[in-house]
Amino acid sequence: QVQLQESGPGLVKPSETLSLTCTVSGGSISYYYWSWIRQPPGKGLETIGYIYSTGSANYNPSLGGRVTMSVDTSKNQFSLKLTSVTAADTAVFYCARRGQLMYLDLWGRGTLVTVSS
Amino acid sequence: EIVLTQSPATLSLSPGERATLSCRASQSVGTYLAWYKQKAGQGPRLLIYDASNRAADIPARFSGSGSGADFTLTISSLEPEDFAVYYCQHRSSWPWTFGQGTKVEIK
């Protein structure tokens, strides 16, 4: 079955760029929307943005233009970059698929990213 | 953006009891609302979509209702694996937002 796996550094310094990749296994990345969601420790879920397999993307305005997403269909991966991070960006980051039901029907296990010097 | 407010924050119940969770939107989302279950250390799992439709492989004890701005998730008889945190989420407009969650804990 289709599975998602987040990967990337677990520690990022303040003012630097957070970079994560989500690998899709067991199925194709094509013809779906793919999303990033984050969850600060002990808090709720926040949608960061989504990207279609062709590369068109939409980002949450609350992140003030600090987000860029990309997709690599040859590797069945999509990626997240978040610039100028602060401690407030410390969170578990999830990648997820927006399925045919138009909701997030498949999620990765999440990866904790801590912003600290 | 649309704010989703869930209540109660915590629900303390025993296995076999009925759980009723509420989600209220700051403006109408039609029926574009989903419910997710999250267990510790795991990503959320889609339970209900479009307010009242069960996702694949979700047991019949889970049901959703509502439209507009008021929604309810009901678990008819709690099983041990149902004790978790539940989130509502809308897709009515961008950005999609989530409620802050309701924790269903064992009494």
Side-chain angles (χ1 to χ4, degrees):
Chain A
Q1 75 251 27
V2 182
Q3 293 185 314
L4 307 182
Q5 178 67 58
E6 305 88 350
S7 59
L11 182 63
V12 181
K13 289 182 168 55
S15 80
E16 295 190 345
T17 296
L18 178 159
S19 296
L20 294 174
T21 295
C22 182
T23 300
V24 180
S25 59
S28 174
I29 201 170
S30 298
Y31 308 117
Y32 282 101
Y33 287 92
W34 303 92
S35 188
W36 289 97
I37 300 95
R38 69 178 181 177
Q39 185 171 35
K43 296 189 178 180
L45 298 157
E46 178 185 33
T47 307
I48 299 171
Y50 62 83
I51 187 166
Y52 190 57
S53 55
T54 56
S56 62
N58 201 4
Y59 307 132
N60 192 326
S62 71
L63 290 160
R66 297 190 293 132
V67 178
T68 303
M69 294 182 185
S70 59
V71 63
D72 187 339
T73 54
S74 67
K75 294 182 178 179
N76 239 29
Q77 295 177 333
F78 62 104
S79 298
L80 168 71
K81 290 189 186 301
L82 180 65
T83 62
S84 304
V85 296
T86 68
D89 293 310
T90 294
V92 174
F93 286 76
Y94 296 97
C95 59
R97 183 183 75 179
R98 187 185 188 188
Q100 294 179 351
L101 299 174
M102 306 303 280
Y103 293 94
L104 301 168
D105 66 351
L106 194 62
W107 294 66
R109 295 187 65 88
T111 187
L112 174 63
V113 180
T114 301
V115 179
S116 175
S117 55
Chain B
E1 67 179 39
I2 295 173
V3 176
L4 298 180
T5 302
Q6 292 186 239
S7 62
T10 304
L11 202 49
S12 298
L13 295 168
S14 301
E17 288 194 297
R18 182 183 189 89
T20 303
L21 288 68
S22 174
C23 177
R24 176 163 290 179
S26 58
Q27 63 190 77
S28 176
V29 298
T31 56
Y32 294 135
L33 189 106
W35 291 92
Y36 299 84
K37 167 186 170 182
Q38 185 178 34
K39 304 211 77 169
Q42 299 179 14
R45 181 182 182 184
L46 179 65
L47 298 175
I48 301 288
Y49 67 94
D50 289 343
S52 61
N53 298 287
R54 277 190 303 278
D57 300 325
I58 300 303
R61 64 180 181 273
F62 290 91
S63 63
S65 64
S67 65
D70 285 296
F71 299 88
T72 300
L73 174 69
T74 302
I75 310 170
S76 59
S77 178
L78 285 163
E79 297 287 338
E81 61 268 27
D82 299 337
F83 292 93
V85 180
Y86 292 83
Y87 294 94
C88 56
Q89 176 240 327
H90 82 88
R91 66 170 183 91
S92 173
S93 60
W94 183 252
W96 314 326
T97 56
F98 292 83
Q100 81 278 20
T102 290
K103 181 180 182 180
V104 179
E105 65 176 23
I106 299 175
K107 185 174 181 180

